[in-house]
């Protein structure tokens, strides 16, 4: 596993990733985060998080809440895979608050 900068979800530093392994027949990578736990994220979902932030589709506060909700879902066992659909569900939940 390669050491990278920070978790795409919670921004915790020093996570481990394995981007070279294709899991579940999808283009995904495994992430081991000390806070979120072990999960897989699709490459497009990772880009989607950045796109939401860069397009200002969500405010900075909403973006923080989206990431917090995704991390909570990972830690609680609601999901072990982050996809665009998962991110959109979190986005819709946060913006409806």
């Amino acid at each position: 596993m390669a050491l990278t900068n920070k978790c795409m979800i919670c921004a915790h530093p020093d996570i481990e990733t394995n981007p070279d392994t294709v899991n579940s027949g999808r283009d995904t990578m495994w992430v081991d985060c000390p806070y979120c736990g072990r999960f897989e994220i699709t490459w497009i979902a990772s880009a989607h998080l950045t796109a939401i932030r860069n397009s200002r589709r969500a405010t900075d506060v909403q973006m923080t809440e989206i990431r917090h909700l995704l991390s909570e879902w990972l830690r609680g066992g609601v999901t072990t895979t982050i996809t665009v659909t998962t991110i959109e569900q979190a986005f819709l939940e946060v913006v409806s608050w």
Side-chain angles (χ1 to χ4, degrees), residues 5-32:
N5 291 349
K6 55 187 174 178
C7 178
M8 309 80 177
I9 305 300
C10 73
H12 192 286
D14 300 326
I15 62 165
E16 292 186 14
T17 63
N18 189 347
D20 299 325
T21 304
V22 176
N23 302 301
S24 307
R26 295 185 304 258
D27 187 17
T28 62
M29 71 174 148
W30 282 104
V31 176
D32 278 316

Side-chain angles (χ1 to χ4, degrees), residues 5-80:
N5 291 349
K6 55 187 174 178
C7 178
M8 309 80 177
I9 305 300
C10 73
H12 192 286
D14 300 326
I15 62 165
E16 292 186 14
T17 63
N18 189 347
D20 299 325
T21 304
V22 176
N23 302 301
S24 307
R26 295 185 304 258
D27 187 17
T28 62
M29 71 174 148
W30 282 104
V31 176
D32 278 316
C33 173
Y35 186 72
C36 296
R38 182 174 169 84
F39 64 95
E40 67 178 340
I41 185 167
T42 64
W43 287 101
I44 195 164
S46 180
H48 193 64
L49 274 173
T50 302
I52 290 172
R53 184 184 68 241
N54 290 345
S55 69
R56 306 300 289 165
R57 190 170 154 207
T59 65
D60 289 341
V61 171
Q62 288 172 327
M63 198 67 216
T64 299
E65 290 298 323
I66 290 166
R67 290 176 182 273
H68 177 76
L69 186 59
L70 290 170
S71 182
E72 187 177 288
W73 288 349
L74 289 166
R75 290 188 325 273
V78 174
T79 187
T80 57

Side-chain angles (χ1 to χ4, degrees), residues 66 69 72-73 87-97:
I66 290 166
L69 186 59
E72 187 177 288
W73 288 349
I87 294 168
E88 284 298 314
Q89 287 171 339
F91 173 81
L92 291 173
E93 189 166 325
V94 166
V95 296
S96 69
W97 292 346

